[in-house]
Amino acid sequence: DTGVSQDPRHKITKRGQNVTFRCDPISEHNRLYWYRQTLGQGPEFLTYFQNEAQLEKSRLLSDRFSAERPKGSFSTLEIQRTEQGDSAMYLCASSREGDTQYFGPGTRLTVL
Amino acid sequence: EDQVTQSPEALRLQEGESSSLNCSYTVSGLRGLFWYRQDPGKGPEFLFTLYSAGEEKEKERLKATLTKKESFLHITAPKPEDSATYLCAVQARDKIIFGKGTRLHILP
C-alpha cells in the first residue's frame, strides 16, 4: 500500500506565474479530493472527482484554478496567474465512494 | 450552515496528564465524523471514523466518542510523541468539513 502521493512537495514561484501540482491516489480509490490549508486553519474543500468526472467545485475555486483527472487515476491542479494569497498547503485525498478519505503529504506553495 | 468548532485551540499537558479535546458540530444529515492527526508540514493522518451517537473507537492512548452534537477525543497518559494538531471533520453529503484543530503539546 503506497498511500496517496503528491508532487512536488514544495513549490516557490513568482506572482503571475502558472503552477501545476500532481496527485496520485491509492490505486483502488475511485474518489479524489483537493483541499487547501492555510496556517492555523483546517483543510478547506476545493473540488472532487469520482473516476474522471468532476462532481463538485467550491466557491473558493476561482476561474484561475482548474483540476483534471483525465483517466480516472492521477489528478492535476493548475493555478494560473498566481497571487500571493494563493500561498498555502494544497492537499489531495482519496477514498472509495462514501468511505474515509486518506490524505497525501501535501504540496506547499509559496508565491513571492 | 454546516459547521465544526474545536476547543480548546491549544492545550499544553505534562506527560502522563490525561485530558479531552472537544469537537462540536452542526450538520444536516451527518454521514460520519472523523478525527485526524496532523504533524507540522505534513498531511492529515487518519485516526477514527464514528457514524452514530454512542459509538466509541480506541487506538493506543486515544479514544473517540460521539453524541448527537459533539465528539470527544480522550487522550490517556499522553507521551511527548502525541504532540500534534488534532483535526475533527464531519461528512455532509459528498464533502467533509474540517474544524480548525486543537494544537496539543505534551511536555516531558
Side-chain angles (χ1 to χ4, degrees):
Chain A
D1 180 9
T2 57
V4 178
S5 61
Q6 293 186 246
D7 184 70
R9 295 292 309 279
H10 304 273
K11 179 70 176 179
I12 300 173
T13 192
K14 293 183 179 179
R15 190 176 53 186
Q17 297 295 305
N18 299 343
V19 294
T20 300
F21 309 141
R22 175 178 171 128
C23 171
D24 287 88
I26 294 170
S27 56
E28 62 267 28
H29 287 180
N30 63 342
R31 287 197 173 178
L32 187 149
Y33 302 79
W34 285 100
Y35 292 83
R36 181 171 67 188
Q37 187 177 27
T38 53
L39 200 62
Q41 302 294 315
E44 294 176 292
F45 170 80
L46 292 177
T47 189
Y48 91 95
F49 293 84
Q50 180 158 310
N51 300 312
E52 65 275 10
Q54 188 172 16
L55 295 187
E56 188 170 347
K57 294 196 293 186
S58 163
R59 293 188 302 272
L60 294 174
L61 212 66
S62 77
D63 56 7
R64 296 185 297 106
F65 288 69
S66 62
E68 295 183 343
R69 194 182 184 200
K71 296 183 179 179
S73 57
F74 73 91
S75 175
T76 58
L77 178 69
E78 181 183 17
I79 309 174
Q80 296 182 327
R81 305 181 302 281
T82 52
E83 301 172 356
Q84 287 185 325
D86 296 331
S87 295
M89 174 80 89
Y90 289 84
L91 294 163
C92 175
S94 72
S95 74
R96 292 188 182 92
E97 184 172 344
D99 205 348
T100 299
Q101 295 181 24
Y102 293 87
F103 283 81
T107 294
R108 178 162 296 285
L109 173 65
T110 302
V111 182
L112 302 175
Chain B
E1 182 184 347
D2 300 332
Q3 196 168 7
V4 177
T5 304
Q6 292 189 246
S7 61
E9 289 186 7
L11 182 62
R12 293 165 69 90
L13 300 172
Q14 290 294 137
E15 183 174 1
E17 181 184 0
S18 302
S19 188
S20 297
L21 313 182
N22 178 263
C23 171
S24 60
Y25 63 91
T26 53
V27 63
S28 52
L30 179 71
R31 295 172 65 176
L33 183 140
F34 308 90
W35 283 98
Y36 289 85
R37 169 193 170 128
Q38 187 172 30
D39 293 300
K42 297 188 177 181
E45 175 190 343
F46 170 71
L47 294 174
F48 303 109
T49 305
L50 301 167
Y51 292 103
S52 57
E55 190 174 359
E56 298 183 352
K57 294 257 179 93
E58 282 189 70
K59 179 181 178 180
E60 296 180 354
R61 295 176 292 282
L62 299 175
K63 182 168 93 171
T65 62
L66 180 65
T67 72
K68 288 186 178 179
K69 294 183 178 180
E70 58 190 350
S71 176
F72 292 94
L73 185 66
H74 307 278
I75 182 161
T76 302
K79 299 181 179 181
E81 54 262 40
D82 296 321
S83 297
T85 295
Y86 290 85
L87 295 166
C88 172
V90 296
Q91 183 162 5
R93 296 174 291 281
D94 289 328
K95 62 183 179 184
I96 62 175
I97 300 163
F98 281 86
K100 293 183 179 181
T102 293
R103 295 188 308 279
L104 179 65
H105 186 51
I106 308 299
L107 301 167

